[in-house]
Amino acid sequence: MGLAPVTFSTDVFPRGILLGGLRRLMASNGDFKFSYKEDPNYGPFLESVNGVAGNNNDHTYWELLVKTPDGEIKRPDVGIGCYIPSPNEKIILKFSKW
């Protein structure tokens, strides 16, 4: 889809949710910005990352993936408001098409 990968680092409090880590990253690093919408049934979901937003007409969205320390890439069954990262995981926010 033409978006070059960019890497950022941040911390999440022990047993803290990913949304907190993303907020912390945005507050400490001017190169990272994100927005989300609050769905009344499913909670927060990513709307845009660094000015690039998903679009229903183009069938695009931000997919949450997790790379475990052993290299496995998985798709969590919860979103940014419920996902609790484990130590040394890498969070991948992938602009995807459905």
Side-chain angles (χ1 to χ4, degrees), residues 68-87:
T68 61
D70 65 3
E72 178 188 358
I73 294 180
K74 63 181 182 175
R75 182 179 295 121
D77 60 358
V78 296
I80 61 173
C82 294
Y83 187 72
I84 298 172
S86 295

Side-chain angles (χ1 to χ4, degrees), residues 79-95:
I80 61 173
C82 294
Y83 187 72
I84 298 172
S86 295
N88 301 312
E89 283 184 335
K90 293 183 190 237
I91 304 301
I92 301 167
L93 305 178
K94 181 180 177 187
F95 195 64

Side-chain angles (χ1 to χ4, degrees), residues 13 18 31 38 93:
F13 281 26
L18 177 58
D31 291 334
E38 189 77 32
L93 305 178

